[in-house]
Amino acid sequence: MEKEIEGLNGIYKTIAQLTSLDDCLIIYQNFKGLSVTFPTKLIDSDYVKKHLRKELLREKVLNKEEIQQLAVSFDYSERQIRRFLHEEKRRMQNDTVEEEGLPYVARWLKNQNDNEE
């Protein structure tokens, strides 16, 4: 098996050494000829924002230590976590404004119908 790995080209050799020859062959079959880049962040920012939104919906105020813990857990900086929190607070406020606007529109339509009769 080691001789087979030694004959592999650059990145495939590394993949086979880190995983297995079979895994390397599967990766080769699925990605050969493609340029693949790996993001520096393993966890998607939308996933982090979704988690923060849940905290905000519970009306939880995150203190500095909790933000630090989240930053470490998600592998994002504290600044990014704070920015995500700000974005989600804004999004929630905008969603609330739209929901409050619906009853006004409904009343307006009712008034229009009443005036036509």
Side-chain angles (χ1 to χ4, degrees):
M1 190 71 83
E2 190 64 34
K3 281 186 176 184
E4 293 170 352
I5 290 175
E6 285 302 314
L8 295 177
N9 199 357
I11 190 68
Y12 294 116
K13 180 191 273 185
T14 304
I15 291 170
Q17 289 169 338
L18 291 173
T19 59
S20 70
L21 182 57
D22 289 334
D23 290 339
C24 179
L25 294 173
I26 291 170
I27 291 170
Y28 169 76
Q29 281 181 316
N30 288 283
F31 298 104
K32 66 182 172 185
L34 297 177
S35 294
V36 179
T37 58
F38 293 91
T40 56
K41 298 294 180 194
L42 181 63
I43 299 173
D44 184 59
S45 62
D46 288 337
Y47 180 85
V48 176
K49 290 176 185 179
K50 184 177 177 181
H51 176 80
L52 295 174
R53 193 175 314 126
K54 287 179 186 176
E55 295 296 320
L56 292 170
L57 286 171
R58 293 189 326 187
E59 297 183 9
K60 176 141 171 78
V61 177
L62 299 171
N63 61 35
K64 183 177 180 171
E65 291 79 23
E66 290 170 323
I67 290 174
Q68 288 173 341
Q69 289 172 351
L70 287 170
V72 170
S73 296
F74 291 121
D75 191 30
Y76 279 83
S77 69
E78 288 179 52
R79 184 176 179 176
Q80 286 172 309
I81 297 295
R82 290 180 195 283
R83 184 170 49 88
F84 292 161
L85 277 168
H86 181 72
E87 288 173 10
E88 290 309 308
K89 284 179 187 176
R90 248 172 145 176
R91 178 178 286 146
M92 289 171 61
Q93 287 172 346
N94 289 341
D95 290 346
T96 303
V97 168
E98 288 177 17
E99 290 174 347
E100 290 173 359
L102 289 177
Y104 171 78
V105 172
R107 283 194 307 271
W108 182 85
L109 287 171
K110 183 180 182 316
N111 287 338
Q112 292 297 316
N113 289 335
D114 290 345
N115 290 337
E116 287 176 3
E117 294 172 359

